[in-house]
Amino acid sequence: MNIQLLNQNIADAKSDISLVYMTKEQLKNYKHKKALKLAGFEAASDTICFLHEKNTLVCGVEEFSADDIRSVSSVAIKALKKTNYKSANVLVEDKSLIFALVEGFVLGGYVYDRYMSKKDAPTLKDISIIYTKDDYKSAIKLFSDAIIVADATCFTRDIVNTIPEDMNPPALAKLAKKLAKENGLECDILNEKELKKEKCTAMLAVGRASRHESKLIHLTYKPKNPKKVISLVGKGLTYDSGGLSLKPGASMVTMKMDKAGACGVIGMMKAISELKLDVEVHAFVGAVENMIGGDAYKPDDILVSRNGKTIEVRNTDAEGRLVLADVLDYAQDKVNADYLFDFATLTGACVVALGQYTTGVMGHSSELKRAISKSATNAGELTASLPFNKHLKKQIKSEIADICNISNKPYGGSITAGLFLDAFIKEENKQKWLHFDIAGSAYTESPWDCNVYGGTGAGVRFMSNFIKNI
Ligand code: BES
Ligand code: ZN
Ligand code: ZN
């Protein structure tokens, strides 16, 4: 499907069908209100109605906000793809809504059919967004930026959706290398021998029972005169069976998504390099598979992490934090960044706390959390802060090691996981670091907003927005 921004009179824009967005108020005066009434259409948000004889698709919005436009555009594109229209157009008066339209069409229309023996080929080929005002040049810039970010989000979704047999740690490393080559990034990949030399023992323990070699992937985007330096760290569990603390069968299904943090930061690198932002960005990914076997790490083990701290393992399913402990430490040693962000499908507790749509944000800097919250709102992603406190910190104390990999109480699990990561953040980086728990927001089995079944690409849009506005 081809999406373009046109600067022509709507009367000259030849398309099979036109999309018209309207509120309940506008419906009252709409020329085809009678037909719509007969169809039972009331312009409620996320509802649409075809007026086939008028070559029109009417889309309901509560208000002309980016959120409403993005969401109903997703509904519209899915319906259009089932019709025999070849082309559609939409007239946009407000430039600020171009981003939301693109996201609605590209992200809402996303289909993952790699494993389908028969692939649908929708008739719809072209969508034209028509913007007739004078500042077309700045509109084109908004449009092309929106396409880059939406495509990077789909790229992330594709990786998340790939099954663990096809997207194991070496495969993820290969994919990162390919992206680096195409987008002019530097790419450094550490294999297990090199990880041993780097003393990434906690990360190596998690991957030990897998037949796939663990990899640490480091991608770098280096523009000429960077304004700032950012390090992004991603949890890349290409499969999380739980290890010897095996997950129940039902909870294991969807655990291919445990690499969504890694896929997200790789997608961010794609977006940032294509947007040509003047910020140096590093992505560090711990790509590991958590399996069972005679060689598996176990509850009762004590691991020595890269920074020397000892970790008592009481549950091998709390593996993400072990991988991140080493990768975060490696990232801080390699790059002196202004910001350090990690993305991880870290805890089921985050989904319990915030629901499945919202990313949990943790860290020490209120200012940074506020800035991220603003970016997320602009980008149409949901985030909420989960506050640290000294009482929860006591829950991850160990009697026989420096720290324990699970909490001794059943509540506040996403915060105690965040506090575990905090133990591996150097003192000088405390204010620069934020942890994003995307356990709920990274994957969905029912569509919501512009998300369809599978990976959502959580983080890509808000982080691209944040870095763009630095
Ligand atoms: N990958 C899971 C977290 C997860 C759960 C992500 C559900 C997405 C959806 C993580 O490795 C995990 O298993 N965490 C445990 C931690 C517990 C053992 C302290 C959890 O959340 O149950
Ligand atoms: Zn786990
Ligand atoms: Zn996990």
Side-chain angles (χ1 to χ4, degrees), residues 178-422:
K178 181 167 175 270
L179 174 73
K181 203 170 165 200
E182 287 167 359
N183 283 33
L185 310 172
E186 289 168 29
C187 181
D188 186 24
I189 290 164
L190 274 63
N191 60 23
E192 289 187 349
K193 200 172 146 202
E194 290 156 320
L195 284 167
K196 219 169 265 169
K197 249 194 242 157
E198 281 291 340
K199 297 190 165 58
C200 292
T201 328
M203 171 172 169
L204 282 167
V206 174
R208 215 164 59 207
S210 168
R211 60 187 229 279
H212 304 293
E213 192 177 16
S214 300
K215 304 277 186 188
L216 195 158
I217 305 163
H218 177 191
L219 288 169
T220 308
Y221 165 69
K222 245 187 203 154
K224 281 235 166 70
N225 296 306
K227 272 197 274 185
K228 293 272 186 225
V229 179
I230 302 188
S231 283
L232 307 169
V233 171
K235 170 178 172 182
L237 263 289
T238 60
Y239 199 70
D240 180 13
S241 69
L244 288 178
S245 315
L246 197 64
K247 284 183 185 292
S251 315
M252 217 182 286
V253 182
T254 71
M255 275 306 138
K256 64 171 183 182
M257 62 121 131
D258 215 19
K259 58 185 178 312
C263 305
V265 304
I266 296 174
M268 290 166 206
M269 294 306 282
K270 177 172 160 69
I272 290 152
S273 54
E274 290 170 14
L275 291 168
K276 299 189 168 55
L277 302 182
D278 51 0
V279 176
E280 179 176 320
V281 189
H282 296 260
F284 296 90
V285 162
V288 183
E289 187 182 54
N290 187 20
M291 298 298 281
I292 56 170
D295 195 24
Y297 84 121
K298 359 172 168 28
D300 278 357
D301 276 347
I302 292 179
L303 309 173
V304 185
S305 70
R306 188 177 184 276
N307 80 351
K309 282 195 183 165
T310 56
I311 307 167
E312 179 192 359
V313 177
R314 291 181 76 93
N315 190 318
T316 61
D317 197 12
E319 83 301 333
R321 61 196 77 179
L322 302 174
V323 173
L324 288 175
D326 281 348
V327 181
L328 279 166
D329 191 61
Y330 180 83
Q332 291 171 91
D333 269 357
K334 292 289 154 190
V335 179
N336 184 15
D338 298 296
Y339 300 104
L340 171 62
F341 300 127
D342 76 75
F343 293 81
T345 46
L346 206 61
T347 63
C350 187
V351 196
V352 175
L354 299 176
Q356 47 172 323
Y357 313 108
T358 303
T359 295
V361 185
M362 283 155 259
H364 300 284
S365 165
S366 306
E367 194 188 331
L368 195 48
K369 282 190 265 186
R370 266 197 300 277
I372 285 292
S373 166
K374 205 171 142 195
S375 286
T377 306
N378 287 338
E381 284 197 70
L382 297 168
T383 60
S385 169
L386 294 167
F388 287 157
N389 65 60
K390 63 180 182 186
H391 311 290
L392 285 167
K393 195 170 173 173
K394 288 187 198 140
Q395 293 181 192
I396 47 172
K397 277 198 171 148
S398 165
E399 296 293 328
I400 53 163
D402 297 338
I403 194 165
C404 182
N405 85 324
I406 55 165
S407 163
N408 59 21
K409 294 201 175 63
Y411 306 118
S414 44
I415 300 179
T416 49
L419 284 165
F420 179 93
L421 299 182
D422 174 51

